Amino acid sequence: MNTTGKRMPGGGHPGNIDFNVNPFIVIWETTRACGLKCQHCRAEAQPIPDPNELTHEQGIALLDEIYEMGNPMVVFTGGDCMLRKDLFELADYGIKKGMRISMSPSATDEVTEARMDEAKRVGLSRWSFSIDGPDAELHDAFRGIPGTFDLTIEKINYLNKIGISHQINTCVSRANYDRLEEMVPLVTELKASVWYILMMVPTGRGQLDQCLTAAEHEKVFRWLYELSKTAPFDIKTTAGQHYRRVVFQMKQSEHLVDKNQITFEDTKTRDMAYMIDGLKRAPKSVNDGNGFIFISHTGDVMPSGFLPLVAGNVKEERLRDIYRNNQMLKDLRSPDKYKGKCGVCEFRNVCGGSRSRTYAVTGDYMESEPFCVYIPQALRNEGKNK
């Protein structure tokens, strides 16, 4: 990602990205092979690479295409991206072009000190590891392999030793909901730059009965907001878009957002993400297919890895044509088209709900976020007028 304020390739500017034209972030599932058996895995990962995954040449061509789309951030994921033999060649190629590339491997014996040194050498922007509990018992049960917790701690300590920025990813479900507070000292001790909170999406191996209730989502978001005031790391949510609405409301209640200057009506016409995102990384509210795009190991283009609907394939079409012209993606970038309470919510341009979770629960990605307690002002006014 360009951080200099200069115009980026493809005509974009970091503070003025049109998500109808270019994404803010691209996730590439470089392989679906993985040695873990995570309870919530959206990919239902397999033990060996798919013979139809993108070749090295196709991967290079893909990076060239992404670069020309405003040079968005790129994350190499999986499966376990470490099982992609040319992983660092691809990273080196992209970084030398001026791309900001991060990766999210599984914590296995594939992550050697030599490979972490190689990541440092090529200039990897950030590394992420998952920790889903404050101790080995909970985390290892979540990941399906004994010893994973201790291995993850060992690898993160080495990243700190060689000076690679890293984030810790935590999937929040029924299994760890009541132990999140215990995670804070661990995330702090490990010197994470970001604590990346993924709210469970019931897809792949993830099950609906493992999701939190709407009230519990709200409780987690309010707790995260209070934590964000003192934590030595940044907090980001995925499949938890309504955290943005909670932050906005709480800042209003604390008079940190001027109620006379910024009203609920403003959220219909103005992009408020810059006011509520402590990271100030995305100039707009990113959502599935809206500033965010996912490319599978075989080249399928999807709104996200948790919304497994195929918009096209990069082996057959240019990524930019798929992203800009596919009707599903265009609909996802149109909050006014959302159904139910999401469609009339004054926060629909800031939040929009998790389109992935909505699809997983209702079968319709344009329906209302199923785990949100908020009643939009329009519906409250309607009730008063009856």
Side-chain angles (χ1 to χ4, degrees), residues 47-121:
I48 59 175
D50 189 317
N52 296 313
E53 71 185 22
L54 296 182
T55 65
H56 178 77
E57 292 73 22
Q58 289 168 333
I60 292 294
L62 175 60
L63 290 174
D64 286 341
E65 280 203 60
I66 294 170
Y67 178 78
E68 292 301 323
M69 294 181 70
N71 196 11
M73 290 192 294
V74 178
V75 178
F76 290 167
T77 185
D80 180 4
C81 59
M82 281 291 156
L83 294 177
R84 174 93 190 197
K85 301 303 182 184
D86 60 348
L87 182 70
F88 288 104
E89 293 176 50
L90 292 166
D92 187 53
Y93 177 81
I95 291 166
K96 284 179 177 175
K97 284 179 71 75
M99 304 176 78
R100 181 180 176 186
I101 295 179
S102 303
M103 64 177 62
S104 180
S106 302
T108 69
D109 289 331
E110 295 289 333
V111 183
T112 63
E113 291 187 359
R115 300 193 86 182
M116 288 187 277
D117 289 339
E118 180 71 357
K120 174 75 171 180
R121 184 190 69 77

Side-chain angles (χ1 to χ4, degrees), residues 232-381:
F233 46 80
D234 288 314
I235 296 169
K236 186 179 184 298
T237 59
T238 288
Q241 283 80 0
H242 30 331
Y243 176 59
R244 302 168 188 158
R245 184 259 306 161
V246 168
V247 171
F248 185 88
Q249 288 178 303
M250 295 189 76
K251 284 190 174 183
Q252 271 202 326
S253 69
E254 297 170 356
H255 306 292
L256 297 177
V257 175
D258 188 337
K259 190 172 182 179
N260 296 317
Q261 177 187 0
I262 306 297
T263 67
F264 287 129
E265 186 68 23
D266 285 322
T267 66
K268 296 181 181 180
T269 57
R270 295 176 55 183
D271 195 319
M272 307 304 295
Y274 75 96
M275 295 200 64
I276 64 175
D277 183 1
L279 299 176
K280 295 183 176 63
R281 294 184 300 183
K284 299 182 180 182
S285 299
V286 175
N287 208 327
D288 303 321
N290 186 18
F292 186 106
I293 202 71
F294 178 92
I295 301 158
S296 82
H297 61 301
T298 57
D300 285 336
V301 178
M302 307 176 191
S304 83
F306 296 101
L307 182 44
L309 296 176
V310 178
N313 190 289
V314 297
K315 294 178 182 178
E316 302 165 358
E317 304 173 71
R318 300 198 68 171
L319 178 61
R320 69 183 184 190
D321 294 333
I322 298 170
Y323 181 82
R324 295 169 186 173
N325 301 325
N326 178 265
Q327 189 58 52
M328 171 179 60
L329 298 178
K330 289 167 75 172
D331 286 344
L332 287 167
R333 294 194 289 266
S334 305
D336 289 348
K337 292 185 178 181
Y338 293 167
K339 300 176 183 178
K341 69 177 187 178
C342 278
V344 298
C345 183
E346 62 271 25
F347 291 106
R348 61 187 177 273
N349 290 318
V350 173
C351 168
S354 169
R355 299 295 97 206
S356 295
R357 188 181 302 105
T358 295
Y359 176 74
V361 175
T362 71
D364 184 348
Y365 52 80
M366 298 299 282
E367 264 295 351
S368 289
E369 159 68 57
F371 296 129
C372 177
V373 300
Y374 184 68
I375 305 299
Q377 187 68 53
L379 296 183
R380 281 178 279 157
N381 291 342

